[in-house]
Amino acid sequence: MNDFLANNRDNLIARCVEKVAKRPKRAATAGQLKNGIPMFIDQLTRTLQAEQSNQDATSLRISGPSGGDVSKLSEMGLAAAAHGKALLHLGYSVDQVVHDYGDLCQAITDLAFERDAPFSIDEYRTLNRCLDNAIADAVSEFSAQRDAAITVQQSVHENEQLGFLMHELRNALGTASLAVSAMEKANLTLAGATGAVLKRSHASMARLISNALAEVAVKGGARGQTQPISLASFIADAKSGADLDATTRGSRFTVADVDPRLGISVDRDLMLGALMNLLHNAFKFTHRHTEVTLAAYAVGERILIDVKDHCGGLPPGNAEKMFTPFSQRSGDRTGMGLGLSIARKSVEADSGLLSVRDRPGEGCIFTIDLPRHALG
């Protein structure tokens, strides 16, 4: 087989390149031609020559033992690792790593059949061992490099998110501090306009902290106990928390009556936080002196909780984008754009769905869709 490989090296490489070219979005590069199949053919040829000369140590140094050696990569393993790393950097998937070596195996088999060149069983075993080791090393390096890249991306995202949080908290705290200073100097009371600014700043800091804690809870799985609760009681709690926000924003707030027989089974704190995020979002964007309504009702075996505002409707194609972290709707840039993203995660953690319907020219309806739960 070593003579066959040496005499047909260029033919085998050409066949592999042709097979690669037929796969979608895949093409051989100069780097792959150096560290990929051509180098593997040369190393396989040298391995077979060493085994033919009973130089077992040299064979293992070039291509490694059967099953690989996790403590030290062979020459073939180092080249395969470089090949796997190159494919990752080119944006390919792990299956491409396997395909490249599979292409060579197929090319060798096809050409041997065409040339009527029989190989011994030991030579086939060596070929399979080399392919197995090369694929394993290439895939391992590809996976290690991919995991490292994902870790870096996550770290960048987390740092960005933390930076946003600190920035918004600093702004809210700065506004509150200025309000307190002004009130002290002018001997103002909390009932006036400056007092309202102070209250809004405190409420903003509370929401930022609540959102951050909710996201940590959802991501880390540190959720509270899921328990059956009265839907009417849950909506009443939301109304109590939202009344002040409505007054501050100058909006009317209407809550529809809820059937006292209806129940849901949720993590109350996380679900209440999700609903409060929807209500705050509605008060923030509804036109001044318009109405925000909250309604909860049953449809078959599902419970629907609607928050309807009068924001004027959404720009075309903007509905799902609102649930993306750090995205904000319209020109109001206050806040981090995390509320809706966290709300959706919290709802989904309780087997629910959060969606939005656009009413062009009027406003939006955000809907929490949860399984209905019978109260005992």
Side-chain angles (χ1 to χ4, degrees):
M1 183 185 286
N2 59 301
D3 290 336
F4 173 84
L5 293 175
N7 294 333
N8 295 282
R9 181 180 184 275
D10 292 341
N11 191 327
L12 291 171
I13 292 173
R15 289 184 179 220
C16 289
V17 171
E18 182 181 358
K19 288 178 181 293
V20 164
K22 291 179 180 179
R23 293 204 295 272
K25 299 180 180 180
R26 181 76 166 88
T29 67
Q32 291 170 49
L33 290 177
K34 178 181 178 181
N35 294 316
I37 298 305
M39 186 175 290
F40 178 86
I41 294 175
D42 295 340
Q43 291 165 338
L44 174 60
T45 302
R46 290 167 53 214
T47 297
L48 290 165
Q49 291 171 343
E51 291 185 352
Q52 194 174 46
S53 303
N54 294 320
Q55 298 176 355
D56 293 340
T58 301
S59 171
L60 294 179
R61 178 178 56 78
I62 297 170
S63 57
S66 179
D69 184 354
V70 296
S71 62
K72 183 179 180 181
L73 288 179
S74 61
E75 288 182 24
M76 186 174 288
L78 290 171
H83 186 56
K85 182 177 180 180
L87 288 181
L88 174 67
H89 289 166
L90 289 170
Y92 298 120
S93 58
V94 68
D95 64 302
Q96 297 286 4
V97 178
V98 179
H99 283 158
D100 279 5
Y101 291 102
D103 288 343
L104 175 61
C105 183
Q106 187 65 50
I108 292 174
T109 303
D110 291 345
L111 187 59
F113 179 79
E114 293 171 11
R115 302 286 172 84
D116 193 23
F119 303 138
S120 70
I121 294 177
D122 286 341
E123 287 176 324
Y124 268 116
R125 285 175 177 169
T126 298
L127 171 61
N128 287 333
R129 187 191 85 227
C130 290
L131 284 170
D132 184 35
N133 287 347
I135 290 172
D137 291 329
V139 169
S140 295
E141 181 65 17
F142 180 98
S143 300
Q145 292 288 332
R146 181 191 58 193
D147 292 345
I150 290 173
T151 299
V152 170
Q153 290 173 355
Q154 288 176 337
S155 178
V156 169
H157 174 75
E158 290 171 358
N159 288 337
E160 180 186 40
Q161 186 168 335
L162 181 60
F164 271 107
L165 176 60
M166 294 300 100
H167 174 75
E168 296 298 330
L169 281 174
R170 183 183 63 186
N171 285 347
L173 180 59
T175 301
S177 299
L178 289 173
V180 169
S181 178
M183 290 174 68
E184 288 176 341
K185 289 180 180 178
N187 197 25
L188 302 174
T189 67
L190 285 173
T194 307
V197 171
L198 178 61
K199 292 176 183 177
R200 283 198 299 271
S201 298
H202 285 163
S204 177
M205 286 187 282
R207 276 192 298 270
L208 288 168
I209 294 170
S210 177
N211 284 346
L213 291 174
E215 185 168 30
V216 169
V218 172
K219 282 185 176 180
R223 300 172 58 242
Q225 183 86 21
T226 298
Q227 56 184 337
I229 59 175
S230 163
L231 181 61
S233 173
F234 176 72
I235 295 299
D237 287 347
K239 179 182 183 305
S240 298
D243 278 336
L244 178 60
D245 204 356
T247 301
T248 302
R249 293 280 181 173
S251 302
R252 296 192 304 274
F253 182 38
T254 302
V255 181
D257 292 336
V258 182
D259 188 336
R261 297 169 296 178
L262 298 178
I264 51 177
S265 183
V266 296
D267 179 334
R268 188 185 190 104
D269 291 338
L270 278 185
M271 192 59 62
L272 185 59
L275 180 54
M276 295 306 296
N277 263 319
L278 297 184
L279 289 168
H280 172 68
N281 186 76
F283 295 132
K284 179 178 179 180
F285 292 106
T286 198
H287 294 161
R288 194 165 181 82
H289 304 305
T290 60
E291 184 179 48
V292 171
T293 61
L294 172 61
Y297 52 95
V299 176
E301 294 303 310
R302 307 294 295 184
I303 295 294
L304 302 184
I305 303 174
D306 291 340
V307 175
K308 182 167 68 173
D309 65 33
H310 289 79
C311 64
L314 299 175
N318 200 41
E320 280 301 307
K321 183 180 178 182
M322 292 191 300
F323 296 103
T324 303
F326 306 114
S327 66
Q328 295 153 316
R329 53 193 277 214
S330 83
D332 190 332
R333 310 302 292 179
T334 59
M336 295 168 61
L338 284 172
L340 292 179
S341 172
I342 295 172
R344 172 170 276 185
K345 291 176 183 177
S346 297
V347 171
E348 291 176 347
D350 273 323
S351 303
L353 300 171
L354 174 57
S355 60
V356 61
R357 285 174 287 158
D358 182 29
R359 299 181 299 136
E362 295 185 46
C364 301
I365 302 177
F366 287 86
T367 300
I368 296 176
D369 182 340
L370 296 167
R372 182 173 176 174
H373 188 86
L375 297 177

